[in-house]
Amino acid sequence: MVWLLSLVFLLPFWAPRGLLVALGGAWLMAAYTCLVVPVLISANYRYPARWYPAVAKIVRRVARKLRPYFDCAKNVLRVAYAPLERTEKLFLQMNNLSTMMCQLLMFTACDRLFLSQAKLTSLYSLMFYNVVTYSVSYIREICTKEDWSPFVNVTRHSQVKHLAMSATKIVLEWTKAITFIVTITFILLAFGLEQGLEHYRPTALYTVTTGIYYLLSERTFLELWPIAISALKLERLEGMETLYFGVWARGVTTALAVPLVPALAWCGRWRLAILVLYLCVFVHGRHRLGEALIKLNEARGSLAKFRRATSQELATLEDVCAVCLGAMRSARVTPCAHYFHADCLRRCLAASDRCPICVRPYVFC
């Protein structure tokens, strides 16, 4: 009631020129709520409302009668939404296309909100971020490469070289290296000489917003961030850095898109606001964030029955995990008194419901 009354008081200021007054009224509304609501609650405890049980009983009776109609409307909406839901899932299966579409929408929205004279700044930014991503992926491929031989054997255990495949491999490797060098040189020259970048003037807020969104939505960085987090060896994550970071990344990207929708609507960009609301908030949050939450909850639920080992138990154990043979700074204990890393135990549970050591089924008291 307090919030509604305050909103009514703010209606006369609902105009572009009265934005500062409306913002000031919003602060007054929040302060008014913090001051008045506790008084109302304490007054209700001291002088309880006698009419509340009767009104609640009437509301429950009406809700009980209207429930079949609500269920029918829900089923109709579910049937009508089913084709659109299948289209959304098909769109998300094309991971690169859906990610690029969301990134382009977010960058365009930031153009309209954070830049006064935006002329293809979103395309320049997206091109630059894609070049950085290509460079990072190529450097990662070089660092993780194991086979540096330019030749390709006919079979895995044969020493006979396949001439055509070896020539193809050499040409491909040299092409990737030359492309990488040319791309880096072109970007350095473009930003150093500022040729063709007369209209590229991003602000700090624009760069931070688009940079965070890109780093948390691009697949290359989504694979690298969990590796960096696992290097910190946070025991609370229990080896589930990929699952936790998936939820964090999807949550942050969805949260970044939410405030842009009312801002775009306020500026009159209704079509762009609807697209950002539907693709970047609804579809992204409902499917990708929802799936990440489901995977994390399933992983945590599979380990919920196994208690954590105490520091005293780990100090007296002086043993390694039987699955990965790694030292145990944190572990889960099975009912048969065996110790495993949480991530190792979770992977074993995905394959079997028996202990990997004694092969007994888990029995919980």
Side-chain angles (χ1 to χ4, degrees), residues 168-182:
T168 304
K169 181 179 180 181
I170 294 173
V171 172
L172 181 61
E173 293 296 332
W174 273 103
T175 303
K176 287 163 48 175
I178 294 174
T179 304
F180 173 74
I181 295 173
V182 170

Side-chain angles (χ1 to χ4, degrees), residues 207-327:
T207 305
V208 170
T209 305
T210 55
I212 291 176
Y213 189 88
Y214 189 88
L215 289 175
L216 296 180
S217 60
E218 187 62 29
R219 184 179 63 179
T220 301
F221 295 102
L222 288 176
E223 296 173 355
L224 290 176
W225 284 116
I227 299 175
I229 296 176
S230 61
L232 300 177
K233 297 181 179 180
L234 301 176
E235 298 180 3
R236 296 294 300 176
L237 300 183
E238 294 185 317
M240 296 185 289
E241 289 84 0
T242 303
L243 299 177
Y244 276 102
F245 182 77
V247 174
W248 296 340
R250 268 85 177 179
V252 171
T253 50
T254 305
L256 284 175
V258 169
L260 299 183
V261 176
L264 289 170
W266 178 270
C267 296
R269 308 280 183 174
W270 289 99
R271 287 179 294 182
L272 184 58
I274 292 173
L275 287 175
V276 172
L277 176 63
Y278 179 67
L279 288 179
C280 301
V281 178
F282 179 73
V283 175
H284 182 82
R286 181 173 180 265
H287 292 282
R288 286 182 174 167
L289 179 58
E291 290 176 359
L293 283 172
I294 290 174
K295 291 180 180 179
L296 178 61
N297 290 332
E298 288 179 352
R300 296 177 62 182
S302 62
L303 297 175
K305 297 180 181 180
F306 302 90
R307 68 177 181 87
R308 298 175 185 269
T310 62
S311 57
Q312 292 80 8
E313 290 176 336
L314 293 175
T316 57
L317 181 63
E318 295 183 357
D319 199 357
V320 296
C321 176
V323 177
C324 66
L325 302 180

Side-chain angles (χ1 to χ4, degrees), residues 46 71 86 93 106 112-113 135-136 138 158 178 213 217 240 265 270 279 312 335 339:
R46 187 168 183 178
D71 293 340
R86 289 194 294 269
Q93 287 177 359
M106 283 290 297
R112 300 297 181 266
L113 294 175
S135 304
V136 171
Y138 182 72
S158 174
I178 294 174
Y213 189 88
S217 60
M240 296 185 289
W270 289 99
L279 288 179
Q312 292 80 8
Y339 295 77

Side-chain angles (χ1 to χ4, degrees), residues 115 117-121 124 196-202:
L115 302 178
Q117 296 180 352
K119 295 184 178 180
L120 300 179
T121 306
Y124 278 113
L197 301 177
E198 293 82 5
H199 303 291
Y200 184 69
R201 294 291 184 269

